Amino acid sequence: MNQHHHIENDDKYSGLTVNSGVTQPPSVNPYLKPRRRKPLPTSGELVEGILKGDVTILSRAVTLVESLSHEHQAIAQEVIEKCLPYSGNSRRIGITGVPGAGKSTSIDVFGLHILKDGGKLAVLAIDPSSERTKGSILGDKTRMERLAVHPSAFIRPSPSAGSLGGVARKTRETIVLCEAAGYNNIFVETVGVGQSETAVHSMVDFFLLIQLAGTGDELQGIKRGIMEMADGIVINKADGDNIGPAQLAQAQYRSALHLFPPTASGWSPEVLTYSGYYELGIPEVWDMIDRYFAFVKANGYFDAKRHEQARYWMYETIDEQLRKHFYDNPEIQQQLARCEADVYANRRSSFAAASLVLATYFSETKTVL
Ligand code: GDP
């Protein structure tokens, strides 16, 4: 029987002819190439690209730094290690202020101001709150419109995942990569509403606090800690009707700063007014920052602070890794759950429970070693 024979073509179905259809393609598309994951670059390739200032490779390396995968972390750590000798040659400036203070508007203007004289600028951020970071990949680009398209600027939003300590460490590691790629100005932006200022303070040379006039929080206790960290306080939006209030706030901040103990650097923090939007007073802000760098480089504080920060990050990293190793251990996790229930029900004291879990951890670690 020929293969085109169809029973419907039988005499009893006369009047009706059925043609063979088109042969069906196999259900799997033979033209579709199996999707291969892009192979991971070697640390050598990444370092070579970074040192050449290749932005695509720098971004790729930063992505590995931010990744939680062990494989990515292993490469990232090698890259950081190899970039370290080429790092350090930059001004690291922390910029903080509450949302709406005008950070992005100001960073755009400050950035353009310093890039007029050449050089390169990387803008990084520390913001562990995932809600904001979700939108800020695009957000940051549009918020800093002119910098985003400037060939000498590299803008990278905050790594989103993880604890503040973890996010801060990744930003600090990203600074190393950016410096190796020739970025001689680093801005680290943070939202001035929490612990992240302390983290930023521990990785920058100069800490700039952007404030607004007339928000009533000038001398509030909550800001004291942040004010004490500031090397410069700048009151933004000193334009139009707001010039008077901005100058008043300036006077208030100045007298408040007099009450603070002298700074470790010997530098007296200054208070200036400016307008990011109307680009007024920008050279003056920058002149203050230039004078600060000249001052601390001359008195040795610049190097001393960088050494102290390096030491701080060593211990921070050790602390973080130890905690992670402890809490990631499945047996410890189970025991912790049991102990938590015991403590809650008053069957065991907190201290006895802690000793028990730690004893398990240490005995396990010994057997591993
Ligand atoms: P951020 O949340 O701190 O990054 O603040 P933005 O830079 O997004 O600014 C918040 C709002 O304040 C925006 O609507 C800006 O246009 C406005 N703004 C920023 N700088 C100035 C300024 O110098 N003067 C005035 N009048 N408005 C400003």
Side-chain angles (χ1 to χ4, degrees):
M1 198 193 288
N2 109 26
Q3 73 179 98
H4 292 293
H5 178 80
H6 287 272
I7 48 161
E8 292 93 335
N9 293 341
D10 233 81
D11 280 348
K12 57 180 171 166
Y13 292 105
S14 63
L16 184 75
T17 3
V18 174
N19 293 323
S20 289
V22 186
T23 3
Q24 284 298 308
S27 63
V28 175
N29 181 353
Y31 301 106
L32 186 73
K33 290 215 185 81
R35 209 152 47 109
R36 275 200 208 95
R37 277 222 253 134
K38 229 177 170 184
L40 280 174
T42 65
S43 64
E45 285 162 0
L46 289 169
V47 174
E48 199 189 317
I50 291 172
L51 294 180
K52 274 198 244 154
D54 183 323
V55 179
T56 314
I57 295 192
L58 173 64
S59 298
R60 198 135 187 238
V62 174
T63 304
L64 295 180
V65 166
E66 291 173 356
S67 165
L68 298 175
S69 120
H70 286 293
E71 196 189 357
H72 293 174
Q73 272 304 308
I75 301 177
Q77 291 308 319
E78 269 182 53
V79 173
I80 293 163
E81 220 32 34
K82 289 181 183 159
C83 283
L84 263 178
Y86 304 95
S87 73
N89 187 24
S90 78
R91 296 172 164 213
R92 303 170 183 164
I93 296 167
I95 299 179
T96 194
V98 292
K103 291 179 297 301
S104 5
T105 314
S106 306
I107 289 173
D108 207 35
V109 176
F110 291 154
L112 291 176
H113 178 77
I114 53 175
L115 289 175
K116 270 198 316 228
D117 301 329
K120 300 210 282 180
L121 167 69
V123 182
L124 313 176
I126 293 191
D127 180 10
S129 69
S130 51
E131 290 112 76
R132 185 183 158 246
T133 19
K134 262 185 219 147
S136 71
I137 293 180
L138 240 187
D140 276 350
K141 295 243 151 124
T142 48
R143 290 190 315 140
M144 298 165 201
E145 275 171 12
R146 288 173 295 172
L147 270 190
V149 295
H150 198 293
S152 306
F154 175 73
I155 302 180
R156 184 84 189 187
S158 172
S160 54
S163 62
L164 170 60
V167 168
R169 182 169 58 82
K170 289 165 200 274
T171 303
R172 164 132 178 130
E173 292 174 341
T174 302
I175 292 180
V176 171
L177 303 190
C178 290
E179 288 176 350
Y183 289 85
N184 58 340
N185 295 284
I186 312 277
F187 287 177
V188 186
E189 178 197 353
T190 187
V191 181
V193 285
Q195 293 302 304
S196 42
E197 294 79 28
T198 320
V200 174
H201 189 240
S202 64
M203 65 178 83
V204 297
D205 309 310
F206 184 95
F207 194 71
L208 186 72
L209 173 60
I210 300 182
Q211 292 288 64
L212 292 176
T215 47
D217 63 1
E218 279 92 340
L219 306 171
Q220 257 178 32
I222 190 167
K223 290 277 184 286
R224 250 195 89 110
I226 300 177
M227 266 180 78
E228 274 179 81
M229 286 192 279
D231 301 297
I233 297 177
V234 285
I235 297 148
N236 189 18
K237 310 196 186 179
D239 45 57
D241 291 347
N242 208 25
I243 294 181
Q247 285 170 346
L248 185 66
Q250 181 182 29
Q252 287 175 328
Y253 278 113
R254 279 190 178 149
S255 52
L257 283 175
H258 281 308
L259 306 173
F260 287 0
T263 57
S265 58
W267 166 261
S268 308
E270 296 185 11
V271 187
L272 301 174
T273 63
Y274 77 108
S275 168
Y277 190 82
Y278 294 100
E279 306 189 17
L280 307 167
I282 309 298
E284 287 77 3
V285 172
W286 226 255
D287 175 62
M288 163 179 69
I289 295 176
D290 283 343
R291 279 185 290 107
Y292 172 86
F293 275 95
F295 181 81
V296 293
K297 283 196 172 167
N299 75 3
Y301 182 75
F302 178 86
D303 287 330
K305 188 174 181 185
R306 285 228 171 154
H307 289 146
E308 175 52 32
Q309 288 173 334
R311 194 181 143 271
Y312 171 88
W313 283 101
M314 183 181 90
Y315 284 108
E316 275 293 298
T317 309
I318 292 175
D319 285 356
E320 199 197 320
Q321 299 292 319
L322 283 177
R323 290 171 69 92
K324 191 167 161 10
H325 192 252
F326 176 80
Y327 286 110
D328 283 356
N329 181 317
E331 195 181 327
I332 294 295
Q333 286 169 354
Q334 283 173 9
Q335 204 184 19
L336 273 175
R338 286 194 300 272
C339 280
E340 210 180 296
D342 285 352
V343 169
Y344 196 75
N346 271 333
R347 284 191 295 267
R348 216 188 274 276
S349 79
S350 334
F351 307 103
S355 311
L356 184 72
V357 185
L358 287 170
T360 309
Y361 177 73
F362 289 130
S363 64
E364 262 207 10
T365 338
K366 261 189 222 129
T367 46
V368 172
L369 296 172

